[in-house]
Amino acid sequence: MTPEFAQRMAGVRPSAIGELLALGAEPSIISFGGGYPDAALFPTDRLEAVFRDAIRTPGGAALQYAPSDGLPRLRMQIAALMTADGTPCTGDDVLILQGAQQGLDLAARMLVDPGDVIVTEDPTFLGALIAFEASQPAYAVVPMDAEGMQTDRLAEVLARTPRARMIYTVPDFQNPTGVTLSLARRHALIALANRHDLIVLEDTPYRHIRFSGAPLPTLKSLDTEGRVIHLGSLSKVLVPALRIGWAVAAPALLARMGLLKVAADTQTSTLNMTAASLFLDRHDLMSHVAGLRAAYARKRDAMLVAIRRHFPQDIHVTEPEGGLFTWATFAPGFDATAFMRDVALPQARVAYVPGASFFPQSPRPNHARFNFSARSEADIHTGIAALGRALHAHRFP
Ligand SMILES: Cc1ncc(COP(=O)(O)O)c(C=O)c1O
């Protein structure tokens, strides 16, 4: 049969870059494409111990169904992490999610009717666009610079967008640009959300992976009107496979997200929640994160040094103070998708993510996202040097 799909499936399609990235997964290719943390830094022994103990929890509790909002102890532990980070809250304010990604889906489904507008950074996180798509939104986009979303432009966008429902932002070391929203703009964004009565969806998986500079307050901590939904995640600071994320939000919002979560998956895995909770009981997450920060800072430096040495001088890259990515801007007219397909993959044997798919409205072809966390410093050097040679040869064949 030819299935007839619901209208909401109209925008739900495989991403155009999926095929290219699949080619980048071949072992002989040095890929800077994925957003993966470095598996060599996973605390495997400690995770093995907590999983072993979790599975033996008296009464089989860790193998049983659990409250859909999450294990109470884990909610308290997450609240303690948030409080220590300057965003005071209690376990009741925390909803455990299946990764932060689930929060993107639930928030959109809770707030966005077809045609309602989600305001995003331009470019923004591709996974968010994928999550939002089933809610059939329209987008309004706000340009970025070295201080993140340009809030004066946000003010203009909001003034002409009456159906705006939600502002989506990745304020710390944004995916894909690596850029961080400045303090002044955090205040400005909250003031604009208040003035226009909007929800802010604050997505912070990289927040603790800071290499330099002082942490900036979360948008949630600046929120006096209960309009920020804060999303956090253990994926980048512990391991992605746990699929543990969370939302912190005002009770009315959190309760409805919780109802949608029950519909979606009943609950996050009890075993994973128990293991995560035991890990947080036994180990200081932030001292583990300190090790990640040091390792990723070295990799960031290796990538930026290699890019400066090997790329043509007119290619600009961001200098992230944290996170996993830098963002390259090539000369106008350069097509990073075509270059990857025709040159980078077959000749230089290097992959990155072409930037076009991170733009919700008007794809700009002359950008690319480079991940520096997943590869060794030696691979970073080799891969960037090969790509640099290919870029020079492309310029002066
Ligand atoms: C900005 C952003 N938000 C959310 C996620 C999803 O993270 P999780 O593994 O917690 O679902 C990612 C993952 O790469 C991300 O980059």
Side-chain angles (χ1 to χ4, degrees):
M1 73 173 283
T2 309
E4 208 172 291
F5 293 110
Q7 276 177 16
R8 78 177 64 83
M9 294 304 288
V12 180
R13 317 182 197 92
S15 104
I17 58 161
E19 220 170 282
L20 271 187
L21 285 177
L23 291 174
E26 203 208 300
S28 68
I29 303 261
I30 297 182
S31 177
F32 304 118
Y36 287 11
D38 183 350
L41 301 172
F42 292 161
T44 313
D45 291 346
R46 286 184 268 169
L47 284 169
E48 184 183 6
V50 292
F51 268 101
R52 202 183 319 112
D53 295 347
I55 214 163
R56 299 260 169 231
T57 312
L63 302 175
Q64 191 51 279
Y65 287 112
S68 58
D69 292 348
L71 291 178
R73 172 132 194 91
L74 183 60
R75 296 171 75 193
M76 276 169 48
Q77 290 166 307
I78 298 296
L81 287 173
M82 295 285 305
T83 303
D85 184 33
T87 307
C89 60
T90 70
D92 291 342
D93 304 316
V94 175
L95 172 68
I96 302 294
L97 298 168
Q98 193 93 241
Q101 184 70 23
Q102 185 172 43
L104 302 172
D105 173 44
L106 299 185
R109 284 203 279 142
M110 173 171 68
L111 297 167
V112 175
D113 283 318
D116 282 348
V117 176
I118 302 177
V119 181
T120 74
E121 288 144 351
D122 198 32
T124 187
F125 171 47
L126 176 60
L129 298 177
I130 292 170
F132 296 157
E133 219 43 65
S135 298
Q136 300 175 275
Y139 292 103
V141 296
V142 184
M144 302 182 73
D145 60 21
E147 289 181 46
M149 184 190 280
Q150 295 178 25
T151 40
D152 51 347
R153 302 290 293 276
L154 173 64
E156 293 166 17
V157 166
L158 295 180
R160 59 166 191 264
T161 312
R163 283 194 72 179
R165 293 288 287 131
M166 166 167 106
I167 303 170
Y168 170 65
T169 176
V170 183
D172 303 296
F173 325 120
Q174 193 230 24
N175 182 358
T177 62
V179 161
T180 294
L181 187 66
S182 69
L183 180 60
R185 287 190 185 171
R186 287 175 194 239
H187 285 287
L189 190 152
I190 292 293
L192 284 166
N194 289 345
R195 188 174 321 147
H196 291 271
D197 195 19
L198 295 172
I199 297 287
V200 177
L201 185 58
E202 174 184 42
D203 186 12
T204 69
Y206 307 103
R207 177 167 173 78
H208 295 287
I209 314 277
R210 176 176 274 284
F211 315 137
S212 58
L216 294 171
T218 62
L219 293 169
K220 182 75 214 154
S221 72
L222 304 176
D223 172 25
T224 52
E225 300 188 357
R227 58 179 69 256
V228 175
I229 301 172
H230 175 101
L231 300 179
S233 171
L234 292 183
S235 289
K236 304 304 193 299
V237 291
L238 196 47
V239 289
L242 279 173
R243 308 306 305 132
I244 300 277
W246 60 89
V248 172
L253 293 167
L254 207 67
R256 282 171 181 78
M257 281 178 84
L259 293 173
L260 287 173
K261 177 169 170 69
V262 176
D265 65 0
T266 313
Q267 57 159 101
T268 298
S269 152
T270 315
L271 184 60
N272 289 4
M273 288 195 286
T274 307
S277 177
L278 281 179
F279 190 98
L280 294 174
D281 268 340
R282 293 178 187 178
H283 308 288
D284 177 11
L285 180 66
M286 286 307 147
S287 56
H288 173 65
V289 173
L292 301 181
R293 286 209 296 260
Y296 293 155
R298 283 196 299 276
K299 288 171 184 245
R300 184 236 9 216
D301 291 347
M303 183 166 273
L304 294 182
V305 165
I307 284 175
R308 264 182 232 118
R309 185 172 306 152
H310 297 292
F311 278 15
Q313 292 305 308
D314 61 346
I315 297 172
H316 174 267
V317 289
T318 57
E319 300 200 2
E321 291 193 327
L324 310 188
F325 307 107
T326 182
W327 175 252
T329 303
F330 301 90
F334 182 88
D335 184 336
T337 307
F339 186 79
M340 173 140 147
R341 184 188 58 227
D342 301 338
V343 183
L345 281 174
Q347 294 173 26
R349 315 292 293 161
V350 170
Y352 50 78
V353 186
S357 39
F358 296 100
F359 295 96
Q361 279 182 332
S362 313
R364 279 184 257 147
N366 63 321
H367 295 276
R369 188 193 75 179
F370 288 85
N371 165 273
F372 49 76
S373 59
R375 308 298 303 214
S376 66
E377 285 169 59
D379 276 358
I380 290 173
H381 186 84
T382 308
I384 294 294
L387 195 58
R389 281 192 297 278
L391 286 163
H392 280 291
H394 177 75
R395 175 88 52 91
F396 305 109

